Amino acid sequence: MATDRPNILLIMSDEHDPRVMGCYGDPVVQTPHMDRLANEGIIFDAAYTSSPLCAPARASFTAAQYVSRCGAWNNDCRLPSDDYPSVPHALNAVGYECWLGGKMHFDEKHRYGFKDVYGGVNDEVKTGTGPRRAFDDVSESSRGWEGRVAQFHTGDTSRVLEKDRAVTRECSGFLRDRKADDKPFFLLAGYLAPHFPLIVPEEYYERYRDKVPMPEIPEGFLETLPTNYKHLRAGFGISKATPEQTKLGRELYWGFANWLDDEIGKLLGALGDSEVAENTVVIYCSDHGENKGDHGLWWKNNMYEHASRMPLIVHYPERWTGGQRRSGACSLVDLAQ
């Protein structure tokens, strides 16, 4: 079925602070493949998540609604039903085939209009409920921080590394097999990196050892944090983080962003070798950012720029002139719509 409608390849990473990208101004990190997308495309400087937490952000994008409208508040949530209005349902209705390759934090029984490129992912059982920390619980958890910092090290294998290698392999195969006269497709390649555990191959860590600046936290700043962010520090045990742990974690995170860029480069190489390269819009974004020790916080779950801002690049040189930047605010919901 020949068509002049473009294919869409959406590459969505997990927990990527845009400040750790060359095209967003970081002088240390090496992200040449994403930088090339930006140089040949349009980069959005003020793109924000609709929730600084994985599952709500992804549900919000899928439904093209804010979390307050689709009811996704925590990582145990799902959209109300498989036929709930969604981006893939809308695209399927106008002749697209919608495919999911990799993470979207979906319930095992719901795809909302996507078909899986391969199995074994998005197989969680979501009840729609989740634990809450009592508002007056100010106790500090050492176990939460110790468990996560134990996974600040180099290595060639991990849950994230293996799953992301599968995303690259399977989505690359999908692109190479696609024919120019096939129905237009929407392929969502869902990477987990640079989400913790911060385990990266040694070569990527070595590129950043002693090169990543430490977070700047003024004296007395932590005492001025909003109450919920103080709870966040206590609940994760972040107050127990040492300077040495923070330094190592940041160096590994920079290396992980570099590793992710190389995986994306392989995927883009497969697209370039395919019959559909010239008629495919490529979009890169993340579900939210990562604190990396900034503001005395790690992971996400807050509205500081490091956690709430996300990268957004749109690449389609066949129609849009490259090298453009947009400064207006936008969100995952805007991208979906």
Side-chain angles (χ1 to χ4, degrees), residues 49-67:
T49 185
S50 44
S51 174
L53 188 60
C54 300
R58 292 164 184 269
S60 174
F61 168 79
T62 303
Q65 294 180 333
Y66 292 109
V67 294

Side-chain angles (χ1 to χ4, degrees), residues 115-129:
K115 294 183 286 186
D116 287 326
V117 174
Y118 62 103
V121 292
N122 301 294
D123 54 0
E124 301 168 86
V125 177
K126 294 182 176 289
T127 64
T129 63

Side-chain angles (χ1 to χ4, degrees), residues 75 104-109 121-126:
N75 276 343
M104 269 302 277
H105 236 304
F106 288 159
D107 179 88
E108 62 176 352
K109 296 181 179 179
V121 292
N122 301 294
D123 54 0
E124 301 168 86
V125 177
K126 294 182 176 289

Side-chain angles (χ1 to χ4, degrees), residues 100-103 116-121 163 166-171 190:
L100 175 58
K103 176 181 178 177
D116 287 326
V117 174
Y118 62 103
V121 292
K163 287 190 174 182
V167 173
T168 299
R169 180 181 65 250
E170 300 298 334
C171 289

Side-chain angles (χ1 to χ4, degrees), residues 10-200:
L10 173 60
I11 304 169
M12 183 180 288
S13 63
D14 197 325
E15 212 157 297
H16 191 182
D17 181 356
R19 286 178 172 82
V20 189
M21 296 173 67
C23 54
Y24 278 95
D26 188 286
V28 177
V29 74
Q30 299 175 39
T31 52
H33 303 291
M34 289 185 275
D35 294 350
R36 180 175 64 82
L37 276 183
N39 292 335
E40 296 176 359
I42 304 169
I43 189 169
F44 292 80
D45 287 317
Y48 291 88
T49 185
S50 44
S51 174
L53 188 60
C54 300
R58 292 164 184 269
S60 174
F61 168 79
T62 303
Q65 294 180 333
Y66 292 109
V67 294
S68 57
R69 296 295 301 274
C70 64
W73 296 105
N74 60 35
N75 276 343
D76 200 33
C77 285
R78 60 178 184 267
L79 296 178
S81 64
D82 203 42
D83 60 356
Y84 196 79
S86 68
V87 171
H89 281 317
L91 287 172
N92 288 334
V94 294
Y96 277 77
E97 290 183 346
C98 295
W99 296 89
L100 175 58
K103 176 181 178 177
M104 269 302 277
H105 236 304
F106 288 159
D107 179 88
E108 62 176 352
K109 296 181 179 179
H110 298 292
R111 290 296 178 268
Y112 314 111
F114 282 113
K115 294 183 286 186
D116 287 326
V117 174
Y118 62 103
V121 292
N122 301 294
D123 54 0
E124 301 168 86
V125 177
K126 294 182 176 289
T127 64
T129 63
R132 286 180 178 268
R133 183 179 174 90
F135 76 94
D136 57 350
D137 180 1
V138 295
S139 62
E140 291 188 323
S141 168
S142 60
R143 185 174 57 184
W145 175 252
E146 289 169 358
R148 292 192 174 186
V149 80
Q151 296 181 314
F152 284 15
H153 60 81
T154 60
D156 292 324
T157 185
S158 75
R159 170 180 58 86
V160 172
L161 293 172
E162 293 309 311
K163 287 190 174 182
D164 279 1
R165 287 169 178 142
V167 173
T168 299
R169 180 181 65 250
E170 300 298 334
C171 289
S172 292
F174 173 93
L175 292 170
R176 291 193 184 98
D177 291 341
R178 205 72 184 179
K179 304 302 180 185
D181 58 354
D182 287 342
K183 292 178 65 174
F185 66 82
F186 170 43
L187 171 62
L188 198 159
Y191 286 93
L192 282 76
H195 189 289
F196 61 86
L198 297 180
I199 301 172
V200 301

